[in-house]
């Protein structure tokens, strides 16, 4: 969704704001703008479309100054246009905002009645007018005006506000939308996401809901909305700026697909106890007693993370024998679910900020369930509200389509299931050792599969790039991979694709198959193999173009498929880590051949902080 950056320091701010916004591009946006304190005024530049347009506007009319705020907007109220782009001005006040002000209609009516000249369709402009009004009424300056304005706002916001009359100062505030501060000796930064600030500082402070901070050069004074001072400890972020760059790959998505062996290695590091066949579970935040007494597990997630959660259910049920439900967070929340003490919620979210997952987990916690977060962004909202956080270490994922975060989520879910299975006595020594050993080998296997299948997948993509519909079939652990293959293809190449449980084919979707439909069949050697092979033959009999993702040396797959993409023989729990790789590559290559905006597909945003 939208991105915010802010800078107070000694350098010329426009290039810093543009650079920060560029690093937030992956979140998705349709217009952008900056406001800079310059020569006793606030100068504004805004443009519709890509950041290049804003850059051109700034080249044509440069703005110099050492304090400024910038924004990339993903339209919610009002279409993408220059007038709707942030920052919004009212008198001396400039505002950028992420989130949604729920009482905007009533606010607009009140402000207009009192004489405000509202020029855009946005809720954010109303915030600027409201702060301006408070500034005129009060004597406490901008900080006091923001504080009083916020009392009248309902909804979600991350705000950055400046006044022409208070040079070298930015006020920021947060409720439900992410906001992080970056501290350096001679400058203070703010941003809606870590990558925006990474080249400048690794010392970051995560604000909590209801915090307001006054940023000046090199300092940040944080208070609650009522003015009570609070300390928020700073954290050193170990992501390097280079991790957020393309490193010679054409797109972030391709780079991140190739990075998966490294991401898995980082995620496993220090957690595997190979000697005992166990997992070091200190981060999991559950006692041995808790582990034994958990009644049920609820996995809550959205989109790709939901597919990881679906796989997690297989792990939890087969390894830890604990009854497990997987829920789309957007459907769980507000449904009045039967959940409470003794239940464990695992909220799976790469960003840690997805609003539906956050609200669903919060509702479960209020009813007495324990909440464990699996997230990739340290200090993000979901881990903060959870009882414990079991982080993935994928590094920053910039491509909007999740790849490396997905496989690291699988790794954490598998590790958690092993840990739980050991404590509940459902996973014996030998099985546990075998699983842990295979997990340790996973990075090498993944590297081989990415490297070994790349060319073949590219050829398959060339052949089927114009297919109108594509089917993905899988059973058991590979059913969620079929869904994931279809989602990846849809979101980056805009090709219609469906993922199905292979056994469901004859209950309807088989009617879709003809010689124009490529059908990917995920059929590693596992307990579902024979039945999946049967489904492959059914697809073939209807002239479907079958591409099998099968275990090396599978003669039956070769006999009936147009193409076979081979993966090594592994424990069935590990197969999804490998079968999904060619599917990610296929989605990428089709998208690249079609020339879509692979890293920022249309209409999508990386972090979905609206409902
Ligand atoms: C698809 C994708 C999305 C996210 C979903 C949840 O490639 O990335 O479907 O998985 O928006 O996001 P997180 O994991 O941040 O909660």
């Amino acid at each position: 969704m939208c991105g915010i950056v802010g800078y107070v320091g000694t350098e010329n701010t426009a290039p810093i704001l543009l650079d920060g916004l560029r690093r937030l591009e992956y979140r998705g946006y349709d217009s952008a703008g900056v406001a800079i304190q310059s020569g006793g005024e606030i100068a504004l530049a805004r443009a519709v479309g890509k950041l290049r347009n804003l850059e051109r506007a700034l080249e044509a009319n440069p703005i110099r100054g050492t304090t400024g705020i910038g924004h990339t907007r993903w339209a919610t109220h009002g279409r993408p246009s220059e007038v709707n782009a942030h920052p919004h001005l009212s008198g001396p006040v400039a505002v950028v905002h992420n989130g949604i002000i729920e009482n905007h209609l009533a606010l607009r009516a009140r402000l207009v009645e009192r004489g405000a000249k509202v020029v855009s369709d946005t809720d954010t402009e109303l915030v600027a007018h409201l702060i301006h009004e408070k500034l005129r009424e009060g004597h406490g300056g901008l900080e006091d005006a923001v504080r009083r304005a916020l009392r009248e706002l309902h909804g979600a916001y991350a705000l950055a506000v400046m006044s022409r009359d208070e040079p070298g100062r930015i006020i920021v505030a947060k409720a439900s939308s992410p906001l992080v501060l970056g501290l350096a000796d001679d400058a203070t930064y703010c941003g809606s996401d870590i990558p925006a600030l990474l080249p400048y500082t690794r010392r970051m402070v995560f604000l909590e809901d209801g915090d307001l901070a006054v940023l000046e050069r090199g300092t940040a004074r944080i208070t609650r909305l009522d003015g009570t001072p609070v300390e928020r400890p700073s954290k050193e972020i170990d992501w390097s700026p280079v991790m957020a760059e393309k490193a010679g790959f054409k797109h972030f998505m391709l780079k991140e697909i190739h990075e998966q062996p490294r991401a898995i290695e980082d995620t496993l590091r220090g957690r595997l106890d190979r000697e005992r066949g166990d997992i070091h579970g200190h981060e999991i935040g559950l006692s041995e007693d808790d582990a034994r007494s958990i009644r049920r597990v609820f996995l809550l997630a959205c989109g790709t993370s939901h597919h990881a959660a679906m796989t997690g259910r297989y792990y939890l049920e087969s390894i830890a024998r604990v009854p497990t439900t997987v829920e789309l967070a957007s459907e769980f929340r507000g449904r009045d679910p039967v959940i409470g003490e003794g239940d464990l919620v695992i909220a799976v979210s790469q960003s840690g900020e997805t609003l539906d997952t956050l609200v669903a987990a919060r509702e479960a916690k209020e009813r007495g369930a324990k909440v464990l977060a699996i997230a990739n962004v340290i200090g993000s909202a979901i881990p903060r509200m959870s009882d414990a956080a079991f982080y993935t270490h994928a590094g920053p994922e910039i491509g909007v389509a999740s790849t490396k975060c997905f496989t690291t989520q699988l790794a954490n879910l598998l590790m958690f299931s092993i840990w739980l299975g050991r404590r509940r006595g459902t996973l014996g020594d030998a099985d546990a050792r075998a699983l842990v050993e295979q997990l340790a080998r996973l990075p090498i296997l993944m590297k081989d599969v990415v490297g070994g299948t790349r060319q073949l997948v590219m050829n398959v993509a060339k052949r089927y790039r114009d297919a109108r519909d594509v089917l993905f079939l899988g059973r058991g652990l590979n059913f969620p991979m079929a869904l994931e293959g279809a989602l990846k293809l849809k979101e980056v190449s805009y090709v219609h694709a469906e993922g199905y449980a292979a056994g469901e084919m004859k209950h309807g979707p088989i009617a879709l198959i003809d010689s124009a439909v490529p059908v990917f069949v995920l059929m590693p050697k596992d307990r579902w193999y024979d039945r999946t092979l049967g489904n492959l033959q059914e697809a073939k009999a209807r002239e479907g173009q079958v591409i099998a993702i099968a275990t090396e040396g599978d003669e039956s797959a070769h006999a009936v498929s147009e193409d076979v993409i081979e993966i090594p023989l592994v424990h069935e729990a590990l197969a999804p880590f490998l079968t999904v790789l060619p599917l990610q590559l296929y989605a990428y290559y089709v998208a690249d051949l079609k020339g879509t905006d692979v890293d920022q597909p249309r209409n999508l945003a990386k972090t979905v902080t609206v409902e």
Side-chain angles (χ1 to χ4, degrees), residues 389-405:
F390 190 30
Y391 284 106
T392 54
H393 295 295
E397 188 177 68
I398 308 295
V400 163
S402 184
T403 53
K404 62 176 180 169
C405 281

Side-chain angles (χ1 to χ4, degrees), residues 106-255:
L107 191 60
R108 178 178 286 263
R110 279 206 312 272
L111 285 162
V112 169
E113 199 183 290
R114 294 197 294 251
K117 300 256 173 304
V118 182
V119 294
S120 77
D121 306 318
T122 67
D123 48 352
T124 306
E125 188 192 345
L126 308 176
V127 180
H129 288 301
L130 187 64
I131 296 173
H132 183 196
E133 203 177 86
K134 301 292 174 202
L135 207 50
R136 280 196 308 252
E137 286 167 12
H139 312 285
L142 186 63
E143 180 183 343
D144 176 61
V146 172
R147 229 179 261 292
R148 285 188 296 125
L150 291 182
R151 285 191 204 123
E152 294 179 29
L153 300 183
H154 306 301
Y157 56 75
L159 286 168
V161 187
M162 300 188 307
S163 164
R164 176 185 65 203
D165 303 329
E166 299 188 27
R169 180 175 299 152
I170 298 173
I171 313 280
V172 297
K174 165 184 160 46
S176 293
S177 295
L179 196 64
V180 56
L181 308 182
L183 304 177
D185 289 343
D186 233 7
T188 304
Y189 302 80
C190 63
S192 45
D193 211 347
I194 296 167
L197 315 184
L198 272 182
Y200 306 101
T201 178
R202 308 264 189 93
R203 191 150 50 96
M204 307 217 183
V205 174
F206 296 90
L207 293 184
E208 297 286 345
D209 287 346
D211 283 354
L212 178 148
V214 181
L215 314 186
E216 292 177 355
R217 177 155 67 93
T219 67
R221 180 168 50 79
I222 307 172
T223 54
R224 302 295 293 160
L225 272 193
D226 63 7
T228 319
V230 275
E231 284 291 323
R232 300 277 175 232
S234 63
K235 292 198 168 81
E236 282 297 318
I237 299 298
D238 63 1
W239 295 356
S240 75
V242 174
M243 284 166 118
E245 283 161 15
K246 283 190 201 146
F249 285 92
K250 188 169 176 192
H251 294 100
F252 278 110
M253 182 179 177
L254 189 60
K255 175 186 172 236

Side-chain angles (χ1 to χ4, degrees), residues 302-305 348-352 354 357 400-402 409 484 487-488 491 606 608:
C302 303
T304 285
S305 296
V348 187
S349 169
Q350 61 80 22
S351 62
T354 299
T357 311
V400 163
S402 184
Q409 288 170 344
E484 178 58 8
L487 178 61
K488 283 288 91 85
E491 60 183 342
K606 183 74 184 160
V608 183

